[in-house]
DNA sequence: ACTGGTCATCGTAATTTAACGATACCATGT
DNA sequence: ACATGGTATCGTTAAATTACGATGACCAGT
């Protein structure tokens, strides 16, 4: 018997460990407004949207290639990555001298859930 | 034959006219990143999230009752409404001496679609 | 130990955002 | 015509955001 997952386009091979446990947090109530605002604000910049799309496109988690793809200074990209990381939308794991960034499915799901709850 | 729509919780009686035509705009490509950033930035503030929830809760479109519900000055609320309106997430129609605000399903769908495209 | 490449942080300047009070606007009722 | 109540806009201030170059930290090779 093959798993149903075989028919999905491969779990995209995320950097970190299992990030697909169910999210039991509420989608409404105290604190959730601030949570959604933080998530949305993180997406609320064209450069950060581009970064997210870039990470979504390449299943291989890239690092400073982002700097080559986006016409911004390296320090600026680093700041944007920091914002995305703090919001839980992105994850960075050091790999030798460089850092491999990747999407964090849990954060994206959370954002979609809260947006959907509007 | 009854329409499948009869099984939905009523179209919530939006203020304006028909706002449920299909959205044929692309979900990716040039300019879309900026569009998503603008939409997300509009949601990226707790007060604006509260406003959106308030409008979603009361199917009747309220106006300055928002000021009573949110501990901010009237002028500040008005500015937040302006941001939401400019983003296309909210619609305000003057009704006599007051203004009735309501959600704009088209804008919300657009936001959900673009977020889903990440 | 030194060097080179990669990334984060610091310090700074310009721009934007958020919040408020005051004021202007506008439709309605007296 | 005039006052009134509900909104929008203006002007201002404080804080946050964005962007950059320079600097610092870190790991891999030589």
């Amino acid at each position: 018997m093959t798993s149903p997952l075989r028919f999905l386009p491969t779990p995209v091979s995320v950097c970190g460990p299992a990030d697909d446990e169910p999210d039991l947090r509420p989608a409404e109530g105290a604190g959730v407004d601030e949570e959604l605002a933080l998530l949305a604000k993180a997406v609320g910049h064209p450069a950060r949207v581009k970064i997210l799309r870039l990470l979504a496109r390449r299943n291989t988690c890239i690092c400073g290639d982002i700097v080559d793809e986006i016409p911004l200074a390296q320090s600026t990209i680093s700041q944007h990555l920091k914002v995305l990381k703090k919001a839980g939308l992105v994850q960075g794991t050091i790999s030798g001298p460089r850092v491999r960034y990747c999407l964090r499915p849990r954060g994206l799901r959370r954002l979609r859930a809260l947006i959907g709850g509007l």
Side-chain angles (χ1 to χ4, degrees), chain A residues 56-92:
Chain A
R57 182 143 34 91
R58 320 195 180 184
N59 53 4
T60 160
C61 314
I62 52 181
C63 72
D65 301 326
I66 305 174
V67 178
D68 299 333
E69 295 267 5
I70 298 178
L72 286 176
Q74 178 265 328
S75 57
T76 305
I77 297 288
S78 193
Q79 278 192 169
H80 283 309
L81 283 170
K82 191 176 181 181
V83 172
L84 290 171
K85 207 163 32 173
K86 188 160 51 184
L89 291 172
V90 145
Q91 183 180 6

Side-chain angles (χ1 to χ4, degrees), chain A residues 24-116:
Chain A
L24 271 50
R25 284 175 294 175
E28 212 168 333
V32 176
D33 291 357
E34 285 74 12
E35 187 190 359
L36 172 52
L38 280 178
L39 282 166
K41 197 197 298 194
V43 185
H45 192 286
R48 290 194 287 266
V49 173
K50 283 190 215 307
I51 292 177
L52 290 175
R53 280 199 206 284
L54 211 54
L55 294 178
R57 182 143 34 91
R58 320 195 180 184
N59 53 4
T60 160
C61 314
I62 52 181
C63 72
D65 301 326
I66 305 174
V67 178
D68 299 333
E69 295 267 5
I70 298 178
L72 286 176
Q74 178 265 328
S75 57
T76 305
I77 297 288
S78 193
Q79 278 192 169
H80 283 309
L81 283 170
K82 191 176 181 181
V83 172
L84 290 171
K85 207 163 32 173
K86 188 160 51 184
L89 291 172
V90 145
Q91 183 180 6
T93 62
I94 56 178
S95 168
R98 60 199 76 196
V99 179
R100 310 200 321 152
Y101 278 98
C102 63
L103 294 181
R104 226 163 74 86
R106 191 184 175 84
L108 277 176
R109 276 203 316 274
R110 184 64 177 161
L111 173 58
R112 277 192 277 265
L114 293 184
I115 290 286

